[in-house]
């Protein structure tokens, strides 16, 4: 499957490019409507059930008319309700309505009575304001029926570009998208309302994407697999990097999980630097770990003076006091790659400027969840994706905005949306493992954007394989098996 995600504007451009290449609007709409009819039929393998199709005033509605025609031709009882006047339908939608030989009723809530399946063809890409009035009544009524819904392009009321709900939206069983997915198919809350997403080939040539500046991809091995660290027969451990983790004194589990994950990802060596009082805790936890007691930030600097220590993780379990602050500022100045997580966002709350001045750049990755994000960046306006992009741009670093639909964002605006993380990852220490996984890839010399994306996907896959009941420790142990199955 192609990894590109197209914005609404890019989708319209793809449409125009296809038409310029000689594929007519009705040809595209015919293919779109046929795909919708196929999805409806897949919901009732035992045969026809009554279908109500609610059509809006634009081409989304046009797709609904085409689907109606195909279903009726296949012997399905179909009722079509239109929001607005048939005479007002223009262009391809006008063509599709004219080709529908059955009655066109005013779209009312009553039309849903007795429907076995509903097609939501009110608004798609052209949604330009929050839904209200009759449209909202229809959407709420569809949602209230509890019947399977096939949404055309997106559930009506969802903003295709960011997945936000504008006014209201009915949860679909299947959403049929066209040519390529849109952000709303992958970003919550849209993603949660789309049900199963089926992307139909409607005859737009794949090549039209080549002329577009596609900057959003579905995160997965096809995106970063070729950038994964390679092993050579003659490797020794220093060829595979030396990761340095600041370990805390009280919450020692976080750095231990991260260090173990970095080793499992293939880092040649991992050192935990910690207060002398915590030395024993770290040493006894893992024989393969190097543990270096440090008295103060100067001790950490001394470790950094060995340039083979090439990747740094700061934050998990570190405590948000002056030590973390000093160590972070000097690590940023030391020209290393690294991951900033957890207590960093408390330590530098509202103070991105200090991180920037110290040298934060695109070799660094920040991994906040929503709450941590707000701590560092404040209440930025816009959707989650817009806020993440703004934060990456303002910070100059790679931003990993964690959640069920984790975003990996480059300061230049490129974004990868992660799709494979199961909810069982919401468990204590899971984020520490993620930070360590990314660190392990950085230590092996993988570029920060790819390392972040690979770490996030791999972490999601680890969660999927462990399943319900997983604890963070399980994630690290399944890392090698996943590497063997990544075909790059
Ligand atoms: N490759 C492609 O692109 C292909 C696209 N295809 C299909 O075309 C769809 C896009 O069609 P589209 O551009 O006509 O927009 P659409 O979603 O029908 O809505 C526009 C209409 O809705 C109205 N309206 C908007 N918001 C509203 C609100 N809140 N409340 C009330 N009204 C509102 C708006 O009204 P106005 O702003 O003019 O008042 C206008 O009349 C796309 O989703 C896909 O299904 C396929 O056929 C094949 C190829
Ligand atoms: N509902 C969810 N579905 C999928 N992944 C989730 C969900 N909730 C959290 N995660 C993932 O689990 C990890 C939790 O990280 P974090 O909140 O930092 O936890 P901790 O601080 O306990 O280590 C992140 O990678 C996040 O993307
Ligand atoms: K729709």
């Amino acid at each position: 499957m192609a990894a590109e995600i197209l914005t609404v504007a890019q989708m319209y451009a793809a449409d125009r490019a296809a038409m310029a290449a000689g594929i007519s609007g009705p040809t595209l709409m015919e293919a779109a409507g046929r795909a919708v009819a196929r999805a409806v039929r897949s919901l009732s393998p035992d045969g026809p059930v009554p279908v109500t199709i609610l059509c809006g005033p634009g081409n989304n509605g046009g797709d609904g008319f085409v689907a109606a025609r195909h279903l009726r031709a296949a012997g399905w009882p179909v009722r079509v309700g239109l929001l607005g006047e048939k005479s007002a339908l223009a262009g391809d939608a006008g063509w599709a309505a004219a080709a529908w030989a059955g009655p066109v009723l005013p779209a009312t809530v009553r039309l849903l009575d007795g429907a076995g399946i509903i097609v939501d063809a009110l608004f798609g890409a052209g949604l330009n304001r929050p839904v209200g009035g009759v449209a909202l009544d229809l959407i709420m009524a569809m949602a209230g029926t509890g019947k399977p819904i096939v949404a055309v392009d997106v559930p009506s009321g969802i903003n295709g570009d960011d997945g936000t709900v504008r006014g209201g939206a009915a949860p679909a069983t299947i959403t049929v998208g066209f040519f390529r997915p849109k952000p709303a198919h992958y970003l919550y809350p849209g993603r949660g309302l789309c049900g199963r997403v089926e992307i139909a080939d409607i005859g737009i040539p794949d090549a039209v994407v080549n002329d577009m500046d596609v900057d959003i991809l579905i995160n997965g091995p096809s995106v970063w697999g070729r950038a994964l660290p390679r092993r050579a027969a003659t490797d020794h451990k220093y060829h595979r990097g030396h990761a340095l983790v600041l370990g805390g004194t009280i919450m020692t589990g976080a750095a231990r999980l991260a260090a173990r994950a970095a080793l499992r990802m293939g880092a040649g060596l991992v050192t935990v630097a910690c207060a002398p009082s915590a030395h024993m805790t770290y040493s006894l936890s893992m024989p393969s770990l190097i543990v270096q007691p440090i008295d103060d930030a100067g001790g950490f600097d001394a470790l950094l003076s060995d340039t083979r220590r090439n990747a740094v993780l700061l934050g998990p379990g570190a405590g948000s006091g002056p030590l973390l602050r000093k160590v972070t500022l000097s690590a940023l100045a030391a020209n290393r790659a690294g991951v900033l997580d957890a207590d960093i966002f408390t330590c530098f709350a509202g103070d991105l400027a200090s991180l920037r001045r110290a040298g934060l750049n695109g070799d660094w990755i920040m991994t906040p969840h929503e709450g941590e994000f707000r701590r560092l960046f404040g209440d930025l306006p816009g959707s989650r994706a817009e806020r993440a992009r703004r934060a990456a741009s303002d910070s100059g670093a790679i931003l990993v905005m964690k959640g069920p639909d984790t975003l990996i964002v480059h300061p230049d605006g490129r974004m990868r949306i992660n799709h494979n993380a199961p909810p069982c990852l919401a468990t204590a220490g899971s984020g520490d493992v993620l930070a360590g996984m990314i660190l392990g890839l950085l230590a092996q010399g993988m570029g920060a954007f790819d390392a972040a994306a690979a770490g996030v996907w791999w972490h999601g896959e680890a969660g999927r394989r462990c399943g319900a009941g997983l604890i963070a420790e399980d994630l690290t142990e399944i890392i090698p098996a996943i590497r063997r199955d990544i075909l790059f």
Side-chain angles (χ1 to χ4, degrees):
M1 189 179 69
E4 298 106 353
I5 294 179
L6 300 191
T7 63
V8 166
Q10 286 170 331
M11 199 52 210
Y12 280 126
D15 204 26
R16 285 193 302 273
M19 290 194 208
I23 304 163
S24 73
T27 303
L28 296 175
M29 189 169 279
E30 182 70 17
R34 201 177 329 115
V36 172
R38 243 190 334 261
V40 170
R41 295 173 66 172
S42 75
L43 287 173
S44 181
D46 294 338
V49 296
V51 179
T52 294
I53 303 186
L54 296 181
C55 297
N59 285 339
N60 199 254
D63 296 344
F65 279 104
V66 174
R69 173 160 45 82
H70 282 280
L71 286 167
R72 192 190 214 201
W76 288 55
V78 178
R79 267 183 300 182
V80 174
L82 174 65
L83 195 64
E85 294 300 321
K86 191 174 170 190
S87 59
L89 294 174
D92 299 337
W95 164 83
W100 161 247
V104 178
L105 306 165
T108 59
V109 168
R110 292 272 310 278
L111 274 190
L112 298 170
D113 291 346
I117 298 174
I118 298 164
V119 174
D120 169 7
L122 290 174
F123 314 111
L127 183 82
N128 55 20
R129 57 187 182 275
V131 287
V134 178
L136 183 58
D137 292 345
L138 290 168
I139 287 169
M140 290 306 156
M142 280 194 278
T145 60
K147 297 293 178 190
I149 298 175
V150 174
V152 179
D153 198 1
V154 286
S156 303
I158 301 282
N159 178 337
D161 277 339
D162 61 23
T164 54
V165 179
R166 304 192 68 190
T173 311
I174 299 178
T175 293
V176 182
F178 309 118
F179 181 51
R180 291 288 186 276
K182 295 185 167 63
H185 296 136
Y186 283 91
L187 296 174
Y188 283 99
R191 176 169 145 192
L193 292 161
C194 283
R196 189 166 82 239
V197 175
E198 293 177 358
I199 302 298
D201 174 359
I202 57 169
I204 298 176
D206 285 337
V208 305
V209 174
N210 301 338
D211 299 327
M212 292 180 178
D213 201 7
V214 175
D215 58 5
I216 309 179
L217 298 178
I218 304 163
N219 188 33
S222 70
V223 172
W224 38 259
R226 282 180 191 80
L228 283 172
R230 306 282 147 194
R231 303 270 156 77
T234 51
D235 269 359
H236 60 69
K237 64 188 176 207
Y238 279 103
H239 285 144
R240 293 169 54 200
H242 189 165
L244 180 58
V245 180
L246 179 68
T249 311
I250 310 290
M251 303 277 269
T252 60
R256 284 187 282 160
L257 284 166
R260 190 174 182 95
L263 278 168
R264 286 285 189 204
M265 291 297 280
L269 305 90
V270 178
T271 291
V272 171
C274 62
S277 63
H279 180 264
M280 212 48 108
T281 309
Y282 287 105
S283 300
L284 291 176
S285 70
M286 249 180 101
S288 46
L289 211 55
I290 302 167
V291 186
Q292 291 280 358
I294 56 169
D295 291 315
D296 50 25
F300 197 86
D301 289 349
L303 292 174
L304 271 182
S305 67
D306 181 343
T307 53
R308 291 176 302 180
R309 295 198 174 95
N310 61 336
V312 181
L313 169 61
L314 302 169
S320 55
L323 177 72
L324 179 61
R325 187 175 177 89
K326 279 190 197 150
V327 163
T328 304
L329 296 177
S330 61
L332 287 171
N335 198 21
R336 296 299 203 282
V339 182
L340 301 179
D341 185 35
D343 292 341
I344 285 286
F345 304 108
T346 308
C347 190
F348 288 89
D351 187 19
L352 179 63
S354 292
L355 293 172
R356 286 233 65 169
R357 267 199 307 277
L360 186 64
N361 62 26
D363 294 331
W364 287 83
I365 298 155
M366 294 195 277
T367 54
H369 55 58
E370 270 285 342
E372 292 167 337
F373 180 92
R374 269 195 299 277
R375 235 171 276 159
L376 180 60
F377 296 101
D379 283 321
L380 297 179
S383 69
R384 193 159 162 275
E386 284 167 334
R387 289 184 290 123
R389 275 187 157 142
R390 162 92 182 271
S393 159
D394 286 357
S395 66
I398 309 299
L399 189 92
V400 172
M401 174 89 115
K402 292 188 295 194
D405 49 359
T406 295
L407 308 176
I408 304 101
V409 190
H410 192 279
D412 69 12
R414 280 177 294 152
M415 180 160 81
R416 294 162 182 182
I417 306 179
N418 199 59
H419 183 57
N420 69 342
C424 57
L425 281 174
T427 178
S430 149
D432 305 321
V433 173
L434 173 66
M437 292 175 78
I438 298 172
L439 176 73
L441 293 172
L442 285 180
Q444 293 170 85
M446 197 173 185
F449 191 37
D450 282 331
V456 168
W457 180 89
W458 206 319
H459 183 250
E461 175 63 9
R464 191 189 68 77
R465 292 194 189 195
C466 292
L470 79 83
I471 57 173
E473 284 90 329
D474 302 332
L475 295 171
T476 55
E477 303 319 285
I478 209 158
I479 286 171
I482 295 173
R483 178 64 189 96
R484 287 192 287 276
D485 292 343
I486 297 176
L487 302 174
F488 283 91

